Amino acid sequence: KNEVEQSPQNLTAQEGEFITINCSYSVGISALHWLQQHPGGGIVSLFMLSSGKKKHGRLIATINIQEKHSSLHITASHPRDSAVYICAVKSGGGADGLTFGKGTHLIIQP
Amino acid sequence: DGGITQSPKYLFRKEGQNVTLSCEQNLNHDAMYWYRQDPGQGLRLIYYSQIVNDFQKGDIAEGYSVSREKKESFPLTVTSAQKNPTAFYLCASSIFENTGELFFGEGSRLTVL
């Protein structure tokens, strides 16, 4: 089973700061997901990537397959970005091949 | 708008009672999943289904049951056999089991009194 580690576990920053959240995994994967969980509990998929880099608005996700590492960046952070960010990796066939990290709790202060 | 609807959002149950959580999707997705989330832990897979009338156990299926009689619906029953049922439950779907973006519901928080 893949081991997924996220860092930091908690992050508090000021509005406008550049944010980086990291995800490392132990076994080769076919895809990596970045998810956002709002305070109410609902989860939204931000990115799914298997190589390179993806950008959506102020969010950027990168992955380095050789180093088994991915980062999620938020530029010009805003209080509405406050949420838990979850990394999940797909490393095997079937739905049971998806392993989730414990999440990074991000707070952006005005 | 397409999406996943979970109900109820909050549910309280007495020990020894079964309870069923509803999950409905109008995304025409084949694959549906139930996850459990506990504080300080990653999501854990309870059950998943790839097609109607078929489902497989996940990592923590004991004390839970599911059905998939319709493509749109994947209800989860938390039985009295589940030793620690208080948790946040999330339903998700994707186009195919092995690939594709995951879509989640808003979750159901179950508290056993």
Side-chain angles (χ1 to χ4, degrees):
Chain A
K1 192 111 176 142
N2 217 331
E3 299 290 330
V4 179
E5 294 290 334
Q6 287 187 236
S7 63
Q9 290 185 357
N10 298 283
L11 177 58
T12 299
Q14 296 298 311
E15 183 173 356
E17 287 189 36
F18 181 81
I19 303 298
T20 296
I21 298 171
N22 298 297
C23 175
S24 298
Y25 50 92
S26 58
V27 178
I29 64 171
S30 57
L32 182 144
H33 298 258
W34 279 106
L35 310 169
Q36 181 190 52
Q37 185 169 30
H38 293 283
I43 292 178
V44 175
S45 176
L46 298 175
F47 296 103
M48 185 182 70
L49 63 166
S50 55
S51 65
K53 175 180 174 179
K54 286 190 176 181
K55 183 177 189 294
H56 185 257
R58 296 180 294 106
L59 301 177
I60 303 167
T62 64
I63 187 168
N64 185 319
I65 297 296
Q66 287 74 28
E67 295 191 1
K68 296 185 176 63
H69 180 268
S70 175
S71 293
L72 176 68
H73 305 286
I74 305 174
T75 63
S77 60
H78 190 276
R80 65 175 174 266
D81 297 324
S82 299
V84 176
Y85 292 84
I86 299 170
C87 169
V89 299
K90 182 73 172 169
S91 55
D96 56 354
L98 195 62
T99 305
F100 292 80
K102 295 179 180 180
T104 294
H105 189 192
L106 174 66
I107 297 174
I108 304 296
Q109 295 178 335
Chain B
D1 285 335
I4 299 181
T5 301
Q6 286 188 241
S7 63
K9 190 164 178 65
Y10 299 96
L11 186 60
F12 297 88
R13 189 196 88 177
K14 293 181 180 179
E15 281 192 22
Q17 290 181 334
N18 292 353
V19 62
T20 297
L21 307 180
S22 170
C23 178
E24 303 278 333
Q25 56 102 355
N26 60 4
L27 299 164
N28 200 33
H29 286 172
D30 290 305
M32 297 187 73
Y33 318 83
W34 274 106
Y35 293 98
R36 172 179 170 140
Q37 187 177 39
D38 293 285
Q41 294 193 40
L43 275 68
R44 292 182 290 168
L45 182 66
I46 304 172
Y47 269 98
Y48 66 101
S49 168
Q50 303 173 55
I51 56 172
V52 174
N53 293 322
D54 187 53
F55 46 84
Q56 286 78 41
K57 294 181 179 180
D59 297 321
I60 54 167
E62 185 176 351
Y64 299 97
S65 65
V66 293
S67 63
R68 187 87 187 273
E69 297 177 2
K70 299 185 299 181
K71 187 175 185 177
E72 303 79 19
S73 179
F74 191 41
L76 173 74
T77 297
V78 184
T79 75
S80 56
Q82 167 50 233
K83 291 181 172 53
N84 186 21
T86 294
F88 188 63
Y89 293 89
L90 283 153
C91 178
S93 71
S94 63
I95 294 178
F96 302 115
E97 171 206 314
N98 287 326
T99 185
E101 183 181 357
L102 286 168
F103 291 79
F104 286 85
E106 290 293 310
S108 294
R109 188 168 299 280
L110 172 63
T111 302
V112 175
L113 304 173

